[in-house]
Amino acid sequence: MNIVQLRSTIFLQQNIGYTPENAERFKKIIFGDTKGKVYGIVQPGIPVMLGVNPSLPQYGLPWRIFRRFDNGDEYNIAFQMSKIDIVLAKNVPYDNDVELNFCKKSTEYFSRILDTLTPNAIVTRIAYAPLYAFNKSEAELDAFWNNLLRKTVFDGTKSQDINLSFLLKRPFKFGSKPAEINLLHNIFDGTLTINENNIPQVVPVILFQLDLNSVPEVALELAKGDVAAFFQDILETKEDLVANVSK
């Protein structure tokens, strides 16, 4: 199994729309310098105006900072409507240390942002969403689906473009604050580009995404310490869920 992408999210009661001042300010706050590129974020359902480059940030609208580090890590920090996403694109073999380092980095970045927004910033929801890929032979991919589903073959024809989604819920503590979290599973057929002897190849894979998030029905009031506790403790739950699906 490979890690494909990692995402951490906090939900706020305020928007941080794009301005040139915000772009320079938050690059400095998050990274300690002004490196990184700033882009706009196209909003679903909102048409792009003719003659406007959708990658250019627009005043007051959602935007993101893209930063590539010397070790090859590529981070996007997206300031969207009432939430902030931190996304790491990293196609590597499954390794808990990669996710541990990402969660530590997320805690660090979110803490710096919240310090700047204090005392008005309140984190109302929080989420961790890793995306993995099972890169196996066709027979192994079929066996994986057959382990999860029944009747995926009809009259000798195998099902294709399978998309399985299910939700579990469980209690969770954000530091000392009890709450409930959604454990959303999305498992679906997909493709992944890999380099074989420096030659890109597109291979079939099974993509497995978890979205572990506090329930939207209850607005939380999380402080910095609660945010840190979530990203420290959520990995144990994540490991149990991965083991449950992949065994």
Side-chain angles (χ1 to χ4, degrees):
M1 188 171 76
N2 272 25
I3 294 171
V4 178
Q5 179 182 280
L6 304 174
R7 171 175 61 81
S8 57
T9 301
I10 58 172
F11 293 77
L12 304 170
Q13 291 183 322
Q14 63 190 98
N15 295 326
I16 305 174
Y18 171 76
T19 66
E21 294 77 18
N22 273 348
E24 295 305 300
R25 176 182 172 218
F26 280 98
K27 281 194 288 184
K28 186 73 173 177
I29 289 168
I30 296 168
F31 302 119
D33 54 43
T34 55
K35 295 179 181 178
K37 297 181 179 180
V38 175
Y39 296 97
I41 299 176
V42 177
Q43 298 300 291
I46 299 178
V48 178
M49 294 177 60
L50 290 176
V52 175
N53 186 341
S55 69
L56 293 178
Q58 304 295 313
Y59 272 85
L61 294 182
W63 58 289
R64 64 184 174 91
I65 302 170
F66 172 79
R67 179 75 177 264
R68 181 183 288 113
F69 290 89
D70 293 339
N71 65 355
D73 285 355
E74 295 182 349
Y75 273 83
N76 277 286
I77 300 181
F79 296 83
Q80 305 201 62
M81 300 297 289
S82 302
K83 70 172 184 174
I84 301 172
D85 291 328
I86 298 176
V87 179
L88 170 64
K90 192 177 182 74
N91 186 2
V92 294
Y94 181 77
D95 185 338
N96 286 329
D97 286 344
V98 172
E99 295 189 71
L100 179 61
N101 291 333
F102 173 76
C103 286
K104 287 180 178 178
K105 188 71 72 175
S106 295
T107 299
E108 177 185 336
Y109 289 168
F110 284 140
S111 293
R112 292 175 183 175
I113 293 170
L114 292 173
D115 279 342
T116 302
L117 301 178
T118 300
N120 298 319
I122 297 176
V123 176
T124 57
R125 288 186 66 206
I126 193 167
Y128 176 60
L131 174 64
Y132 310 108
F134 293 100
N135 180 14
K136 299 179 180 294
S137 69
E138 183 178 354
E140 289 173 319
L141 294 178
D142 287 344
F144 179 91
W145 279 124
N146 291 337
N147 189 46
L148 293 176
L149 304 171
R150 291 184 176 183
K151 298 185 178 179
T152 59
V153 176
F154 175 73
D155 197 20
T157 302
K158 294 185 300 183
S159 297
Q160 300 179 34
D161 299 327
I162 302 173
N163 192 329
L164 171 66
S165 179
F166 60 92
L167 176 65
L168 306 171
K169 293 178 181 285
R170 70 176 297 178
F172 195 86
K173 276 195 173 182
F174 299 82
S176 60
K177 298 178 181 179
E180 188 176 38
I181 59 172
N182 291 321
L183 309 176
L184 177 61
H185 295 59
N186 289 301
I187 309 172
F188 49 98
D189 285 328
T191 59
L192 189 67
T193 301
I194 63 172
N195 285 316
E196 190 76 27
N197 297 322
N198 293 323
I199 300 176
Q201 292 186 355
V202 178
V203 298
V205 297
I206 291 175
L207 294 171
F208 171 35
Q209 183 173 51
L210 291 168
D211 192 341
L212 315 179
N213 61 85
S214 58
V215 296
E217 296 83 4
V218 179
L220 303 174
E221 294 186 5
L222 302 180
K224 275 198 320 178
D226 302 319
V227 171
F230 172 81
F231 287 112
Q232 178 178 328
D233 296 340
I234 197 64
L235 291 182
E236 182 177 351
T237 298
K238 179 273 307 180
E239 290 170 19
D240 292 340
L241 296 174
V242 168
N244 184 55
V245 168
S246 58
K247 65 184 178 181

